[in-house]
């Protein structure tokens, strides 16, 4: 074989490496753009939540004077919607499985508190909440949060604190 036979292989290999590099740079830019959009979405949701607090506060005097069950239910629905929205923003900011579990927990709890469902649906909701707590207790991974279910710091957090000292 002559040198000319090896030349196309070298050129293809160099071209392939360059192409992979361009793809990686493009992937990184797309990921950065997605992260920026996520922050913008979080800001929009935060503004909407702040605006939704105003009607909640306006309904407060009505609860004190003649709080019937319909007004109380509407108040709880709005308040729990705001709490779920706050947890949603935290989920977008943290990117952890624990924050996802918290959003699910609040959403299920809201459904149980303000929803007028039958006994089977309430049982399923209780089972779902129990399952979330079982996942947190027995399938805990450090990314679920800073503290273990017993209140101790997660092992990876302890290691980080020791390294910082």
């Amino acid at each position: 074989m002559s040198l000319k036979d090896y030349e196309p292989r070298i050129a293809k290999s160099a071209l392939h490496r360059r192409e992979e590099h361009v793809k990686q740079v493009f992937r990184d830019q797309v990921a950065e753009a997605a992260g920026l959009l996520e922050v913008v979405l979080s800001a929009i949701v935060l503004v909407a939540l702040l605006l939704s607090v105003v009607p909640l506060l306006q309904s407060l005097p009505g609860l004190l004077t003649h709080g019937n069950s319909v007004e109380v239910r509407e108040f709880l629905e709005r308040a729990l919607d705001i709490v779920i929205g706050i947890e949603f923003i935290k989920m977008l900011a943290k990117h952890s499985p624990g924050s996802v579990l918290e959003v699910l927990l609040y959403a299920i709890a809201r459904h149980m508190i303000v929803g007028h469902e039958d006994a089977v649906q309430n049982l399923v909701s209780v089972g779902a909440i129990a399952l979330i707590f079982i996942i947190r207790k027995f399938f805990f991974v450090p990314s679920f949060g800073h503290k273990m279910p017993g209140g101790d710091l997660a092992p990876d957090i302890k290691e980080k604190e020791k390294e910082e000292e």
Side-chain angles (χ1 to χ4, degrees), residues 19 36 39 43-44 77 80 144 149:
E19 181 180 310
L36 181 63
V39 170
I44 291 170
E77 283 177 358
L80 290 172
F144 276 12

Side-chain angles (χ1 to χ4, degrees), residues 33-54:
L36 181 63
L37 285 174
E38 194 173 59
V39 170
V40 169
L41 176 66
S42 296
I44 291 170
V45 171
L46 181 61
V47 168
L49 287 174
L50 290 173
L51 293 175
S52 67
V53 169
V54 174

Side-chain angles (χ1 to χ4, degrees), residues 5 8 10 14 17 21 25 29 32 35 49 57 61 76 79 86 97 103 108 110 116-117 119 127 132 144 153 163:
D5 293 334
I10 294 171
R17 280 194 303 268
H21 176 70
V25 168
Q29 289 176 347
E32 286 181 31
L49 287 174
L57 293 175
L76 285 175
I86 291 167
V103 170
I108 294 168
R110 181 207 179 275
H116 296 290
E117 310 301 331
I132 289 172
F144 276 12
L153 286 176
E163 290 173 4

